[in-house]
Amino acid sequence: MKEYIQNKWNEKGFKDLTPIQEATKKLIQKGEDVVAVSPTGTGKTLAYLLPLLEKIEINHELQAVILVPSQELAQQIGEVIREWKLPELTMLVLAGGANVKRQIENLKKKPELVVGTPGRLTELANQRKLKLHQVQTLVLDEADYLLAQEHLEQTRSFIKKCPSQRQMICFSATKNEILESIHQWINMTPKWVENEQKMSGNGNVKHVYIESPVRKKDELLRKFANMKEYQALVFVNSLANAGILAEKLQYHNIPCALLTSQENQINRKAAIQAFKGEVPILLTTDVAARGLDIEDLPVVIHYDLPENKEVYTHRSGRTGRMGKDGLVISFVTEKEVRDLKKLIPANAKLEAFQIHSSQLQVAEKKKLVEKKPYKPKEKKGRAKKAYPSKDKKSFKTKKSSGKKK
């Protein structure tokens, strides 16, 4: 590490590199194309950022672009860069939702490094305000999302505007089919690095569930919100249902914030700031929360179960970052418990919990009612009527002579 980076590293109290940082450092320094897959919270941002900062020269030419899927992630990475870079290095965050005229004005500062979203960066490049001909390194953070089918064309469109001979670095928490065959979609021959293990240390992410009928889930969330010691990022599968849930909570005087992808940057920032303050619940969807990083987040709640294991991993990775403790709670119906078991990490233990007397505790085991073995009822036939014994003689009658007496 360069001296200024080493000093900041020591100041932060860091000791060893994390496994993903160790595995990718030399590859990035050598200029290799890299695809790195590692769980959320394992230090991926610094894994590509520190070697990148060491390579960048302060010459007022754009040398590196970090491509991200959301405004929040762009701002967060921008904050990390400001913390680690030399004061002389110029860095800009160019994300959608911000004032484009102000961004164009800031580009006159001639940055060496830019962080941004594909849509806004493409817009600025098309206007010839963002000059990409000197770019040497292109980073895709949350590459699985940027290369998902619905975003692939926009991402590729921007990549094609960069020089063909450039270093490509892709970091992701999970894989998808396009990422696994990335050489077919993007001009790169990557070295693959996969780290499936969580951070070593004292951190412990606990995965639990609470059973509830669908109609009573909002009541369960109200009970959770009344436990003062917890704050939670709550995932709902649709924007419409998130809005309805927010209204229900507010009707019962439960303070909550709603983070949606349709809000402008100012409102989204206000929702996050409210949650970092006194608001115990932040409702969001997978799209809206992409790239969201809230430091020391204690709890993630799956109000609705995610569609697949990859989404569960992304959601749950918001807590227990960098080896810290975290709690992941899933609200499920009795039938959904089996589905949940397929989503949790292979080495995770799943426990049943309940909220009782404003306390989160292990659920009492259901008492099994012992069933008696089935015995078919004996068919009771009709009782035979007892008739007096019939003597043949008693049935004999004298033949009527037909004469009247």
Side-chain angles (χ1 to χ4, degrees):
M1 289 184 188
K2 288 190 175 180
E3 186 178 354
Y4 75 95
I5 292 178
Q6 186 66 61
N7 290 339
K8 177 62 71 173
W9 185 270
N10 296 337
E11 184 185 316
K12 289 279 188 181
F14 297 158
K15 294 181 180 178
D16 299 326
L17 296 173
T18 68
I20 194 65
Q21 291 167 356
E22 185 70 50
T24 57
K25 180 182 177 181
K26 290 183 179 179
L27 293 173
I28 295 173
Q29 288 175 334
K30 289 179 182 178
E32 299 273 9
D33 290 342
V34 176
V35 174
V37 180
S38 184
T40 304
T42 52
K44 294 193 296 296
T45 301
L46 290 183
Y48 68 75
L49 182 58
L50 298 188
L52 194 59
L53 289 175
E54 289 187 324
K55 290 172 62 176
I56 293 175
E57 296 179 7
I58 299 173
N59 58 9
H60 302 295
E61 290 182 352
L62 182 59
Q63 300 157 56
V65 175
I66 300 173
L67 207 60
V68 298
S70 69
Q71 305 166 30
E72 280 73 31
L73 186 54
Q75 295 294 340
Q76 288 160 17
I77 291 175
E79 289 174 9
V80 175
I81 293 171
R82 291 185 189 99
E83 195 174 7
W84 287 85
K85 76 178 184 67
L86 285 171
E88 301 83 39
L89 187 143
T90 304
M91 182 276 306
L92 291 180
V93 174
L94 304 173
N99 188 306
V100 68
K101 290 182 179 180
R102 188 176 300 166
Q103 291 176 343
I104 292 172
E105 189 64 28
N106 286 335
L107 281 168
K108 293 177 182 178
K109 299 176 183 177
K110 297 184 178 181
E112 288 89 7
L113 174 60
V114 159
V115 183
T117 52
R120 180 52 56 88
L121 292 180
T122 301
E123 179 186 349
L124 292 169
N126 288 340
Q127 295 178 21
R128 300 184 181 277
K129 303 299 182 182
L130 180 65
K131 306 292 194 302
L132 300 169
H133 62 283
Q134 295 289 341
V135 170
Q136 300 168 16
T137 305
L138 182 58
V139 179
L140 270 59
D141 196 327
E142 303 243 13
D144 58 334
Y145 187 81
L146 290 168
L147 298 175
Q149 198 65 51
E150 61 270 28
H151 308 293
L152 178 62
E153 199 54 46
Q154 188 178 49
T155 302
R156 290 181 70 197
S157 176
F158 177 77
I159 293 173
K160 288 176 183 177
K161 294 181 180 298
C162 298
S164 58
Q165 300 299 316
R166 59 355 188 192
Q167 181 185 25
M168 282 289 304
I169 301 171
C170 299
F171 271 74
S172 177
T174 59
K175 291 186 291 186
N176 58 21
E177 290 181 9
I178 295 174
L179 188 60
E180 289 179 329
S181 58
I182 193 168
H183 62 281
Q184 298 177 12
W185 302 93
I186 298 173
N187 179 26
M188 65 182 296
T189 52
K191 302 287 186 183
W192 272 82
V193 178
E194 293 190 59
N195 171 40
E196 296 181 354
Q197 294 183 345
K198 277 284 187 181
M199 285 282 299
S200 59
N202 298 325
N204 177 37
V205 177
K206 185 178 287 188
H207 297 258
V208 307
Y209 68 91
I210 302 177
E211 274 191 38
S212 170
V214 174
R215 67 182 184 278
K216 291 189 175 181
K217 281 187 177 183
D218 59 311
E219 182 182 335
L220 183 59
L221 189 58
R222 294 202 307 271
K223 289 181 179 179
F224 177 88
N226 286 324
M227 295 189 296
K228 303 300 181 184
E229 66 269 30
Y230 289 111
Q231 271 189 312
L233 180 63
V234 181
F235 284 93
V236 185
N237 283 351
S238 75
L239 181 59
N241 287 343
I244 292 170
L245 182 57
E247 290 177 2
K248 287 182 177 179
L249 292 174
Q250 289 164 0
Y251 177 80
H252 290 279
N253 298 316
I254 301 295
C256 69
L258 177 61
L259 183 67
T260 74
S261 56
Q262 296 180 352
E263 294 287 351
N264 60 37
Q265 191 171 355
I266 294 174
N267 290 342
R268 288 167 64 86
K269 190 173 182 179
I272 295 170
Q273 289 301 320
F275 180 64
K276 289 180 178 179
E278 299 297 323
V279 174
I281 298 293
L282 178 59
L283 302 172
T284 189
T285 61
D286 295 306
V287 173
R290 197 74 189 195
L292 182 64
D293 185 8
I294 299 171
E295 191 175 352
D296 297 332
L297 177 68
V299 182
V300 166
I301 293 178
H302 302 282
Y303 186 87
D304 296 322
L305 274 190
E307 294 180 359
N308 53 54
K309 193 166 186 172
E310 287 73 24
V311 177
Y312 184 92
T313 300
H314 272 293
R315 290 181 178 182
S316 304
R318 301 304 196 289
T319 186
R321 297 178 75 88
M322 295 299 288
K324 295 178 182 177
D325 291 344
L327 178 63
V328 179
I329 306 174
S330 299
F331 290 176
V332 293
T333 63
E334 187 175 359
K335 291 182 179 179
E336 288 176 328
V337 175
R338 183 181 295 179
D339 297 329
L340 175 60
K341 290 178 180 177
K342 297 175 183 177
L343 299 175
I344 64 171
N347 58 347
K349 179 184 177 183
L350 186 63
E351 296 180 83
F353 268 52
Q354 65 181 7
I355 298 175
H356 182 70
S357 300
S358 297
Q359 294 292 324
L360 190 63
Q361 56 188 231
V362 177
E364 296 178 0
K365 291 185 178 180
K366 293 181 180 179
K367 294 180 180 180
L368 297 175
V369 179
E370 187 178 348
K371 294 183 179 180
K372 295 180 180 180
Y374 174 74
K375 290 183 179 180
K377 294 180 179 180
E378 293 182 3
K379 292 183 179 179
K380 295 180 180 179
R382 292 181 179 178
K384 293 182 180 180
K385 294 182 179 180
Y387 291 99
S389 58
K390 297 178 181 178
D391 196 317
K392 288 183 179 180
K393 293 181 180 179
S394 63
F395 284 89
K396 289 181 179 179
T397 55
K398 293 181 179 179
K399 291 182 180 180
S400 174
S401 59
K403 294 180 180 179
K404 292 181 180 181
K405 290 183 180 180

